[in-house]
Amino acid sequence: MIEVVAELSRGPVFLAGEALECVVTVTNPLPPTATSASSEALAWASAQIHCQFHASESRVALPPPDSSQPDVQPESQTVFLPHRGERGQCILSTPPKILFCDLRLDPGESKSYSYSEVLPIEGPPSFRGQSVKYVYKLTIGCQRVNSPITLLRVPLRVLVLTGFQDTRFPQDEAVAPSSPFLEEDEGGKKDSWLAELAGERLMAATSCRSLHLYNISDGRGKIGTFGIFKSVYRLGEDVVGTLNLGEGTVACLQFSVSLQTEERVQPEYQRRRGAGGAPSVSHVTHARHQESCLHTTRTSFSLPIPLSSTPGFCTAIVSLKWRLHFEFVTSREPGLVLLPPMEQPEPVTWTGPEQVPVDTFSWDLPIKESSPGSAVAPERLSGSLVGVTL
């Protein structure tokens, strides 16, 4: 029996363009109750990163696959195919790298091998939506002598930095002073430089605060004014807004605001509704605030952006955008008063109206959610460990 363990020391979350480093440990364990054991041999082991794409057949109309270029020996059990048995299509992959060949381990012996690869910057981010899914995995294939290939898959989360496609790591030496007693390889310098540059650009984009005011009105008059201090946010931040209803001429009985993502299939890939297709646009609510606001002059709300969510992006097949979705319930009666009179010559019994005619309408405000934000740091506090037994 052979045990193969893959460890990502920095965790499973990466920026596109970063170098992934994985330590693969191969062990021939010695059972505690065994009186005798023999050596085990492995023919080879390889590793590769790939992105798997899967589309909902009821929402997305994909062109037929190109049959002129079939997979090389897809049914062979001796060919390393990282996406073997996976749903969907492999749309992006790195060149496979051989970890070792002709490895023999004595009972109780183990050996470790390092794998390093730069994540492609031209791929989509990790995303699991209702119409499409983009899933990244590191696949390690091992084969024992005269046995089929065994695959070990390590799930990854990749965040794409918008506007970093043309960024290159500088070749000149760093200007900052360095200690001769500290060792730092080039890969570490590049990852540190990329993370720092991403943090600086993201901080510059999300720290700008400027009050934006929006007048909210329906066909009968003004309801109020909505204020928000910025429109670009990071993962883990709170979307804070204020609503001023004191200046409105139409009474607002209740309002709700939802933080949503809008997943839209591109027109050329939309499936026609008459052919049994589902809607090409789907919405997911990540946070919601609801409040009864009659006789309320001013109120506010705070909606957190989940760390596990995906920033907005756009590919040839689908686009993802963020928005605030408002719903208002207003009174049809002008000058609605639902409070008892304050001054009465003698005590009286007052009851509110049993029915109030109302209207409802909605309003959408687009916002921008950027990566990486604070989503990278928490998940890198501990490593990621995955193993398989051959």
Side-chain angles (χ1 to χ4, degrees):
M1 180 179 67
I2 295 290
E3 292 182 355
V4 180
V5 176
E7 181 179 5
L8 300 173
S9 58
R10 293 166 48 197
V13 183
F14 296 89
L15 306 178
E18 267 192 303
L20 177 148
E21 296 181 355
C22 178
V23 177
V24 181
T25 303
V26 185
T27 306
N28 181 10
L30 180 63
T33 59
T35 58
S36 63
S38 60
S39 300
E40 294 283 355
L42 287 177
W44 57 266
S46 295
Q48 186 177 14
I49 300 172
H50 65 100
C51 177
Q52 203 72 12
F53 165 74
H54 177 261
S56 171
E57 296 182 356
S58 62
R59 297 175 180 268
V60 183
L62 294 176
D66 186 5
S67 59
S68 61
Q69 297 180 352
D71 292 337
V72 179
Q73 301 180 7
E75 301 299 330
S76 175
Q77 296 298 318
T78 60
V79 177
F80 178 46
L81 295 176
H83 54 278
R84 185 196 305 275
E86 294 270 51
R87 298 178 59 190
Q89 308 172 14
C90 179
I91 61 172
L92 185 68
S93 62
T94 60
K97 292 185 178 181
I98 298 176
L99 300 178
F100 59 81
C101 292
D102 298 330
L103 175 64
R104 181 172 293 275
L105 296 176
D106 295 328
E109 184 182 5
S110 66
K111 290 188 176 182
S112 297
Y113 301 88
S114 297
Y115 170 79
S116 179
E117 185 61 86
V118 176
L119 289 160
I121 61 176
E122 65 272 11
S126 298
F127 177 64
R128 293 180 177 272
Q130 299 186 21
S131 299
V132 301
K133 294 179 175 62
Y134 296 104
V135 181
Y136 283 84
K137 294 181 181 180
L138 166 63
T139 301
I140 301 170
C142 301
Q143 185 178 23
R144 299 176 64 178
V145 179
N146 299 324
S147 299
I149 297 177
T150 300
L151 299 179
L152 170 62
R153 293 190 172 100
V154 183
L156 308 173
R157 185 185 180 195
V158 177
L159 300 174
V160 175
L161 301 175
T162 304
F164 275 58
Q165 286 75 8
D166 298 330
T167 304
R168 293 293 181 267
F169 180 66
Q171 300 297 325
D172 299 335
E173 294 293 333
V175 179
S178 59
S179 173
F181 303 100
L182 299 179
E183 295 182 358
E184 185 178 12
D185 58 359
E186 293 300 323
K189 289 183 180 180
K190 181 174 181 179
D191 292 343
S192 175
W193 175 85
L194 181 61
E196 291 179 1
L197 180 60
E200 291 177 0
R201 291 194 178 183
L202 185 67
M203 185 62 65
T206 59
S207 60
C208 298
R209 294 180 176 270
S210 177
L211 180 60
H212 302 273
L213 297 176
Y214 301 88
N215 291 324
I216 304 173
S217 305
D218 63 2
R220 294 178 290 108
K222 182 177 179 180
I223 297 176
T225 303
F226 172 68
I228 192 170
F229 293 94
K230 60 180 185 176
S231 59
V232 181
Y233 297 86
R234 293 176 294 172
L235 293 175
E237 272 195 302
D238 292 340
V239 180
V240 180
T242 62
L243 193 61
N244 185 356
L245 302 173
E247 302 175 354
T249 59
V250 178
C252 183
L253 307 181
Q254 178 179 289
F255 82 94
S256 66
V257 54
S258 302
L259 178 63
Q260 296 181 342
T261 50
E262 179 184 271
E263 181 184 359
R264 181 182 297 271
V265 180
Q266 303 294 4
E268 56 268 30
Y269 293 99
Q270 293 180 6
R271 189 173 294 278
R272 292 180 298 176
R273 297 294 301 274
S280 58
V281 180
S282 57
H283 300 93
V284 175
T285 299
H286 300 275
R288 188 171 186 267
H289 174 85
Q290 181 173 322
E291 183 177 339
S292 297
C293 55
L294 182 64
H295 303 296
T296 298
T297 303
R298 181 183 295 270
T299 186
S300 62
F301 64 85
S302 177
L303 301 176
I305 301 175
L307 287 172
S308 58
S309 59
T310 301
F313 69 94
C314 182
T315 66
I317 298 177
V318 72
S319 64
L320 184 73
K321 297 181 180 180
W322 288 75
R323 70 177 189 178
L324 292 176
H325 177 71
F326 291 83
E327 294 182 356
F328 296 93
V329 180
T330 60
S331 172
R332 294 180 184 176
E333 298 180 356
L336 177 65
V337 178
L338 296 182
L339 291 178
M342 301 300 297
E343 297 180 0
Q344 290 289 341
E346 57 185 27
V348 296
T349 301
W350 179 89
T351 57
E354 296 182 357
Q355 295 182 350
V356 177
V358 297
D359 287 327
T360 61
F361 79 99
S362 61
W363 173 56
D364 296 325
L365 177 65
I367 63 173
K368 185 177 181 180
E369 200 283 314
S370 298
S371 63
S374 56
V376 179
E379 298 184 58
R380 283 187 176 173
L381 296 178
S382 60
S384 178
L385 194 68
V386 181
V388 69
T389 301
L390 301 180

